[in-house]
């Protein structure tokens, strides 16, 4: 699962975890798991920024077509990384159906 938190939200989560650690051993273990994940994220931030920058230099990463956020999700391994990107799909694409509820209306992508 992916949850995108900005810096203030991440700091708020750490404060909440500090309060939640008071109590049972099970509760401390649960918060410890979340703290480990946060530490893993924070420890790899510079490496992730390097992968994000490299992904933006790829020929298919073009504004309005394939965009990569400043805080994109990066799944790194020893050999490289996957970097999450946004790909634009218009309503006119043949694999998209939707109703006439405006630009924010629901869409269903289907493989044809």
């Amino acid at each position: 699962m992916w949850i995108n938190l900005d810096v203030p939200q991440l700091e708020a989560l750490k404060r909440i975890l500090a309060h939640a650690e008071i109590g049972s051993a099970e509760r401390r273990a649960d918060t410890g798991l979340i703290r480990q994940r946060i530490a893993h994220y924070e420890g790899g931030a510079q490496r992730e920024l390097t992968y994000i920058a490299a992904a933006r230099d790829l020929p298919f990463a073009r504004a309005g077509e394939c965009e990569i956020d400043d805080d994109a999700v990066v799944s790194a391994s020893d050999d490289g990384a996957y970097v999450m990107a946004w790909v634009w799909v218009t309503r006119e694409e043949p694999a998209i159906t939707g109703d006439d509820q405006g630009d924010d209306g629901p869409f269903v992508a289907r493989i044809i």
Side-chain angles (χ1 to χ4, degrees):
M1 174 173 38
W2 167 61
I3 300 173
N4 190 16
L5 302 174
D6 60 23
V7 173
Q9 292 167 334
L10 185 58
E11 293 305 316
L13 178 59
K14 287 192 237 179
R15 287 191 302 274
I16 291 167
L17 289 171
H19 292 291
E21 288 174 341
I22 301 168
S24 70
E26 181 181 9
R27 198 174 200 186
R28 287 191 301 276
D30 288 345
T31 58
L33 291 173
I34 297 169
R35 285 187 176 280
Q36 285 175 359
R37 185 67 181 142
I38 291 170
H40 174 78
Y41 164 78
E42 292 177 329
Q46 186 57 49
R47 181 172 73 156
E48 290 183 359
L49 291 174
T50 302
Y51 282 123
I52 290 169
R56 285 183 171 151
D57 287 340
L58 294 171
F60 55 80
R62 292 184 294 274
E65 293 179 27
C66 179
E67 297 189 11
I68 301 162
D69 290 340
D70 293 339
D71 59 349
V73 173
V74 177
S75 178
S77 71
D78 292 339
D79 298 327
Y82 287 102
V83 178
M84 186 172 73
W86 295 96
V87 178
W88 178 253
V89 179
T90 67
R91 284 186 176 208
E92 288 75 35
E93 296 295 328
I96 301 297
T97 61
D99 59 17
D100 294 323
Q101 293 186 14
D103 291 340
D104 296 326
F107 293 94
V108 177
R110 58 186 165 83
I111 298 173
I112 57 173

